[in-house]
Amino acid sequence: MKTVEAVPTVPYTPVVHEVKITSVFERTAAASERTVLNIGGRDSSKSYSVAQLLIRLFTSQEGVKIGVTRKTFPALRRTCYELILTLLQQWGVYPLVQHDKTNHTIRYKDSAWQKESKIDFFALDEPTKIQSADFNYLWLEEAIEFTWEDYVVLSTSLRSECPPGCRNRIYLTLNPTDAN
């Protein structure tokens, strides 16, 4: 396991100065494909690594739009939502964000930025709910829950203008037994 420095550039006292990363994080961060698939068993760090990467992008790319989804909100709340909030707290970033608990969004703006970055957590029980949304990055946790139609609708929402050096991307995570 390697460590990297916490990303935010605004003045603050981080709780954690270095963040442990895995080879799964490194492979996910280095991926160049538009769709990145992480298949692994429980505790393989696939979800943890994607959450770490999205937080890194959220706090380092001005104006980035991130969508995090599962098929139902109760499942999302117990997994991705809780994981990202926990990591933000552990990294000392949570005091720097605006967390809208009603709309399930988290916003961050570095003092040098013109635009804020945003993470939007949503359930995709009905794909038409997000047809007008646009994102730079999407994470479909437990991707086996989604239909091909869901994937197509979500994939077409990867149309937000990218910050320099960014490529719009969708991350899918699932267990190997789900891949069959």
Side-chain angles (χ1 to χ4, degrees):
M1 203 173 270
K2 295 182 181 180
T3 58
V4 294
E5 289 185 22
V7 179
T9 57
V10 294
Y12 77 106
T13 306
V15 174
V16 177
H17 294 277
E18 293 183 339
V19 176
K20 291 183 180 186
I21 59 170
T22 66
S23 60
V24 175
F25 172 90
E26 291 176 333
R27 285 192 308 271
T28 304
S32 59
E33 298 80 11
R34 186 168 197 245
T35 300
V36 179
L37 178 62
N38 279 351
I39 301 173
R42 188 180 185 123
D43 293 328
S44 66
S45 86
K46 64 187 179 303
S47 299
Y48 191 85
S49 296
V50 170
Q52 285 183 308
L53 178 60
L54 292 178
I55 292 170
R56 179 176 159 195
L57 296 167
F58 173 64
T59 58
S60 65
Q61 293 183 347
E62 179 179 359
V64 75
K65 297 177 184 176
I66 299 170
V68 179
T69 187
R70 282 197 65 173
K71 200 64 173 175
T72 67
F73 201 81
L76 177 68
R77 186 182 305 115
R78 288 189 313 271
T79 56
C80 311
Y81 190 60
E82 184 176 303
L83 175 58
I84 287 177
L85 289 174
T86 299
L87 289 174
L88 287 170
Q89 290 166 348
Q90 288 175 352
W91 293 6
V93 179
Y94 189 79
L96 306 174
V97 302
Q98 294 81 48
H99 181 192
D100 181 339
K101 295 175 184 176
T102 303
N103 294 309
H104 312 292
T105 61
I106 302 172
R107 297 173 186 274
Y108 172 79
K109 186 176 179 197
D110 185 289
S111 60
W113 292 358
Q114 300 277 326
K115 297 186 230 175
E116 66 184 8
S117 292
K118 178 182 173 186
I119 302 177
D120 189 3
F121 297 88
F122 59 93
L124 196 69
D125 49 347
E126 183 58 48
T128 56
K129 286 182 180 178
I130 63 120
Q131 283 181 333
S132 62
D134 63 324
F135 300 100
N136 298 108
Y137 303 103
L138 280 167
W139 176 18
L140 280 68
E141 171 73 330
E142 298 301 340
I144 196 68
E145 297 173 350
F146 298 93
T147 66
W148 177 250
E149 178 191 0
D150 296 338
Y151 174 80
V152 170
V153 168
L154 287 165
S155 188
T156 59
S157 71
L158 287 175
R159 60 179 178 252
S160 190
E161 183 180 335
C162 276
C166 158
R167 179 174 182 210
N168 290 348
R169 194 162 277 128
I170 187 168
Y171 298 95
L172 307 174
T173 53
L174 62 125
N175 296 314
T177 56
D178 296 340
N180 295 325

